[in-house]
Amino acid sequence: MEPTPVVVWQLRSKFQDRVWLHVLLFALTIATTTLVGAGQYASFLDDFRGSSSLPMPFAALLVRGFWYSGTILAILGCHELGHYFACRYYDVDASLPFFIPVPFLLTGTMGAFIRIREQIPSKRMLFDIGIAGPIAGFIVAVPALFIGLSLSHVVRLPANPSDLMELGEPLLFKFGSWLLWGAQPRGYSVNMHPMAFAAWFGMLATALNLFPIGQLDGGHVSYAVLGPRWSTYVTFATVGVAMVLAYFASSWIVWTVMIVAMLFTFGPRHPRVFDEDVPLDRVRLLLALVAVVMFVLCFTSAPIRPMELIGR
């Protein structure tokens, strides 16, 4: 007679991270964003003149690079920590934030993310974890935007601005610019302080994360509010919108390719929860509307385009 196998239940430790890796990536991202911020501050002082000489010693520029790096890391960090602490609250295993340093980009970083290492069991948990990040990042981005715009100034554009780029302005950015600087005459533009640029990038990151697609933050919210069937329809519709945007604005091509690749990798359907037939309460439905408002305020249809279009 064979012995009966013994099953031993062993709890798995949660929230175990290689802290050194997260610290290293964060330190590298501080370095890359500060370096980029130094270049942005030099351009800010140059006022579109195209000077090839540094306006101040390089060490002094590096110090002023923290205007940008401190702001963007605060926005991205609070966004990811919003997700992380929501996971800690619900005891859903997740990693500390991974920051992505990229020294050769205009932004110095590709953002940050956390890795959720177990399935989120309930709809309310899914909703709260999904929306916590965008709200936390948005709360930091809004005051940063207005402070950064107050440090900016209006300058005359060069006669030939074809070598410059225009950043598409989200509705919130347009409102802040109008409130602080009014309407600019033809041939003039707001020269953004690096802090304002960091807020602009933070708003763009918020809008991208709120796309109601798959396992993005907006996908979590969409699934929790609409359920598996309708959220899948919304995913396909949003991918179609992204393709249209990529056709008319080349700056959307990379993002569209990324989300299509994500759908091929993970599938278009969101992972199920056990209580998907239970409706959300009124407070969470109101927060879903807040998420829609944040998306509208932070979205721009053409993030980057040739600046020569401004003067027309």
Side-chain angles (χ1 to χ4, degrees), residues 13 55 76 98 133 154 193 196 214 249 281 294 301:
S13 297
L76 297 176
F98 292 93
V154 176
H193 187 274
D281 56 272
M294 286 193 299
S301 59

Side-chain angles (χ1 to χ4, degrees), residues 8-287:
V8 178
W9 178 264
Q10 184 176 3
L11 291 176
R12 181 173 62 88
S13 297
K14 296 185 177 183
F15 306 105
Q16 301 298 307
D17 295 287
R18 292 176 290 179
V19 177
W20 65 268
L21 177 60
H22 298 274
V23 172
L24 176 62
L25 289 173
F26 182 62
L28 289 173
T29 309
I30 291 176
T32 56
T33 53
T34 300
L35 186 62
V36 167
Q40 290 176 1
Y41 196 82
S43 298
F44 172 68
L45 295 180
D46 184 64
D47 282 339
F48 304 134
R49 289 188 294 266
S51 174
S52 58
S53 59
L54 293 179
M56 61 178 63
F58 184 69
L61 279 177
L62 276 180
V63 173
R64 287 160 177 81
F66 283 104
W67 278 110
Y68 169 75
S69 65
T71 304
I72 193 57
L73 291 176
I75 295 172
L76 297 176
C78 287
H79 181 118
E80 297 307 324
L81 287 175
H83 293 312
Y84 178 76
F85 286 121
C87 287
R88 293 296 298 246
Y89 179 81
Y90 286 118
D91 198 34
V92 174
D93 189 22
S95 72
L96 290 167
F98 292 93
F99 287 83
I100 309 173
V102 185
F104 51 82
L105 281 183
L106 178 67
T107 58
T109 178
M110 283 286 287
F113 67 94
I114 68 168
R115 181 186 172 199
I116 299 177
R117 292 183 286 231
E118 65 177 311
Q119 187 170 348
I120 301 173
S122 78
K123 184 186 293 187
R124 291 184 178 185
M125 291 181 187
L126 176 68
F127 180 89
D128 293 352
I129 292 170
I131 204 170
I135 288 178
F138 187 77
I139 288 173
V140 179
V142 172
L145 170 66
F146 283 90
I147 295 172
L149 284 173
S150 70
L151 295 171
S152 306
H153 52 263
V154 176
V155 297
R156 186 177 182 86
L157 293 171
N160 181 18
S162 59
D163 294 333
L164 303 176
M165 301 299 292
E166 176 196 11
L167 301 180
E169 298 179 353
L171 285 177
L172 184 60
F173 192 102
K174 289 182 178 180
F175 172 73
S177 178
W178 172 82
L179 189 66
L180 292 170
W181 296 105
Q184 283 81 58
R186 181 175 178 176
Y188 286 79
S189 179
V190 174
N191 183 15
M192 286 197 303
H193 187 274
M195 190 175 188
F197 176 74
W200 174 87
F201 178 48
M203 288 189 295
L204 178 62
T206 299
L208 294 179
N209 276 286
L210 283 173
F211 266 53
I213 293 176
Q215 297 187 50
L216 295 176
D217 298 343
H220 294 331
V221 173
S222 174
Y223 180 89
V225 173
L226 301 175
R229 180 180 179 183
W230 285 102
S231 64
T232 302
Y233 293 157
V234 170
T235 290
F236 284 122
T238 307
V239 171
V241 171
M243 290 180 176
V244 172
L245 289 172
Y247 178 80
F248 288 101
S250 58
S251 51
W252 282 105
I253 293 176
V254 173
W255 177 244
T256 302
V257 170
M258 289 176 63
I259 60 177
V260 170
M262 179 184 68
L263 292 183
F264 271 107
T265 303
F266 300 105
R269 292 176 175 80
H270 193 285
R272 307 294 286 265
V273 295
F274 76 87
D275 62 345
E276 61 188 22
D277 294 328
V278 178
L280 290 178
D281 56 272
R282 183 175 300 177
V283 172
R284 286 179 172 84
L285 292 176
L286 289 175
L287 285 175

